[in-house]
Amino acid sequence: MPINLSIQVLENQQRFIPAEHQLALLLDLLLERGAEPHFLLRKTGIFYQDILGGELKISPKQLARLCLNISLQSNDRDISFVFGQRLFPGVFEQYSHLLTHAPNLRSLLGVLCRHFTDYFPLLKPRLVDCREQTHLLFEDPFGESLRPNQQPEQLAYRRWIQEALVSAIVSLCEWRAAAPLPWQIQFDYPAPSWRAEYQVHLGDQVKFNQTYSALSITQQYLDKPWQQHSAIIYQLAHSKVNLSQHDSLLSIIRELLRQNISQLPSLEQIAQQLALSPATLKRRLKSHHSSYRLLCDEVRQQHAFFLQAQYNYSDNELSTAMNFFDVSNFRRAFRRWLSQ
């Protein structure tokens, strides 16, 4: 499918995130707990005085570095959860109106997926319907958890941003539904030592060491109407934010690959759809700590894990669905994915 040229393609070093949004909220929380802002902002290229000026915009790379700095601190293990609970509906102008006045869960989740670069640009949620459940899967849109040779830091960062966004979504939906929702939550990393924080903030239905991270819920909850919302405010906000749509380079490429999962498009074909030369596309992917091969592998891996978990596909069925040369070739790939 051709790329919609009206969508602005965003990259990890572009400064499009207003500092008075996520950054200010996060720093306020840390300052409440006696943190030193200059220490937390090290290696970000952000200065505290500039934030107070009210005009600063930062990049995903800078915001990610701040979150990494926080994730590496040994104290205050609940910071990510509390930050998530304060994140939505937030101070995102029309985007906040969309969250406050969404008529039901389906609409709200759709808004979060479409406009993730405005709400929490470090992690992109993606809706997938399957049988009687809807799943919210997650991907790294700017490659900041893909840095090579930094495995302990990668895990700490990846865990922190997942804790934050999942907490944000769960708390927002509970507030809008005026009742707890029966989420099933799974994470693709080992259970941390502060597992009690997960129970306090996310409930009992949390699993670790899964093959992918997801928020799942029975579809009967998606279209239940929510009270105390304005259909007019929602429609007005919807029309205003749709005038400017944007997505990350990595997420656009992943979607192109998913649309052709059994016959993946080549690097040259993707470059053509993005109106780039193959060499330029390779260079931009490298700046996101990724490559065409890594993205192909990631998309196929998540698709295989999802099909196996949701449909209990056999190796033969998975191999056929994903157009592997033979079953043994698929099994080798699957073992490699499990070991990563």
Side-chain angles (χ1 to χ4, degrees):
M1 183 181 73
I3 291 294
N4 181 352
L5 295 179
S6 66
I7 295 179
Q8 181 184 1
V9 180
L10 299 175
E11 301 191 39
N12 60 354
Q13 298 193 52
Q14 285 180 253
R15 300 191 179 206
F16 62 87
I17 306 168
E20 67 266 26
H21 290 178
Q22 301 91 347
L23 178 60
L25 185 65
L26 186 50
L27 286 178
D28 276 343
L29 174 59
L30 293 164
L31 290 172
E32 287 175 13
R33 303 198 176 194
E36 167 54 53
H38 300 292
F39 177 74
L40 293 169
L41 290 170
R42 70 193 187 283
K43 297 184 181 180
T44 64
I46 304 169
F47 297 96
Y48 188 63
Q49 293 80 1
D50 294 337
I51 300 170
L52 299 178
E55 300 295 328
L56 180 66
K57 290 190 177 182
I58 63 172
S59 69
K61 195 177 191 73
Q62 292 175 299
L63 182 59
R65 180 67 218 196
L66 173 62
C67 292
L68 173 61
N69 290 344
I70 299 167
S71 72
L72 296 175
Q73 302 303 305
S74 59
N75 53 350
D76 288 337
R77 292 301 189 183
D78 68 334
I79 284 287
S80 55
F81 300 98
V82 177
F83 168 64
Q85 290 171 345
R86 296 185 183 185
L87 183 59
F88 299 144
V91 289
F92 308 117
E93 300 174 346
Q94 299 298 332
Y95 297 95
S96 292
H97 292 326
L98 288 177
L99 299 181
T100 304
H101 296 283
N104 52 43
L105 180 59
R106 185 188 301 276
S107 299
L108 184 143
L109 294 179
V111 164
L112 288 174
C113 291
R114 284 192 300 276
H115 303 294
F116 79 95
T117 54
D118 298 282
Y119 294 120
F120 191 65
L122 300 182
L123 200 60
K124 179 176 181 177
R126 180 171 65 90
L127 274 177
V128 179
D129 290 328
C130 177
R131 296 179 175 176
E132 296 179 353
Q133 282 196 314
T134 288
H135 308 273
L136 207 59
L137 308 181
F138 302 97
E139 64 185 39
D140 180 346
F142 294 101
E144 289 305 307
S145 65
L146 306 177
R147 292 172 176 271
N149 305 319
Q150 295 182 351
Q151 290 186 358
E153 289 190 359
Q154 283 179 0
L155 176 59
Y157 168 78
R158 185 160 52 89
R159 186 171 55 207
W160 198 93
I161 61 173
Q162 289 189 35
E163 290 170 350
L165 183 57
V166 170
S167 299
I169 294 171
V170 169
S171 61
L172 171 67
C173 294
E174 181 174 330
W175 170 60
R176 288 300 324 279
L181 294 174
W183 294 107
Q184 296 174 20
I185 307 171
Q186 62 183 57
F187 294 105
D188 63 352
Y189 50 79
S193 59
W194 55 95
R195 188 166 180 171
E197 295 292 348
Y198 286 80
Q199 187 172 14
V200 169
H201 297 285
L202 300 179
D204 297 322
Q205 298 301 311
V206 180
K207 295 180 180 179
F208 297 93
N209 254 339
Q210 303 301 299
T211 52
Y212 56 90
S213 295
L215 264 172
S216 305
I217 195 165
T218 306
Q219 290 181 7
Q220 70 186 66
Y221 290 92
L222 293 180
D223 297 308
K224 285 186 175 181
W226 285 343
Q227 304 301 314
Q228 298 181 348
H229 77 276
S230 167
I232 294 176
I233 293 176
Y234 180 75
Q235 289 301 323
L236 287 173
H238 214 289
S239 63
K240 290 179 181 179
V241 301
N242 280 345
L243 294 175
S244 175
Q245 298 186 46
H246 30 259
D247 203 347
S248 74
L249 176 67
L250 296 187
S251 293
I252 289 172
I253 294 174
R254 289 186 183 109
E255 189 56 34
L256 288 171
L257 294 172
R258 287 191 199 101
Q259 292 170 4
N260 302 276
I261 195 71
S262 62
Q263 191 65 49
L264 295 177
S266 66
L267 173 73
E268 290 73 21
Q269 289 171 323
I270 290 175
Q272 184 178 20
Q273 294 202 60
L274 292 170
L276 299 172
S277 71
T280 298
L281 180 55
K282 285 181 183 179
R283 187 167 60 252
R284 291 191 180 178
L285 287 175
K286 185 177 181 180
S287 72
H288 290 76
H289 318 292
S290 190
S291 67
Y292 168 76
R293 181 186 60 79
L294 287 174
L295 287 175
C296 287
D297 213 35
E298 176 194 327
V299 166
R300 294 205 296 178
Q301 172 184 325
Q302 189 177 70
H303 189 62
F305 287 159
F306 186 80
L307 289 178
Q308 186 188 59
Q310 300 302 320
Y311 296 100
N312 198 27
Y313 273 18
S314 67
D315 288 353
N316 281 326
E317 290 171 319
L318 286 170
S319 176
T320 300
M322 302 180 68
N323 201 29
F324 272 78
F325 181 71
D326 56 32
V327 178
S328 60
N329 190 22
F330 167 76
R331 285 173 178 158
R332 283 194 297 273
F334 198 83
R335 285 195 296 269
R336 177 167 52 81
W337 295 335
L338 285 173
S339 66
Q340 290 176 351

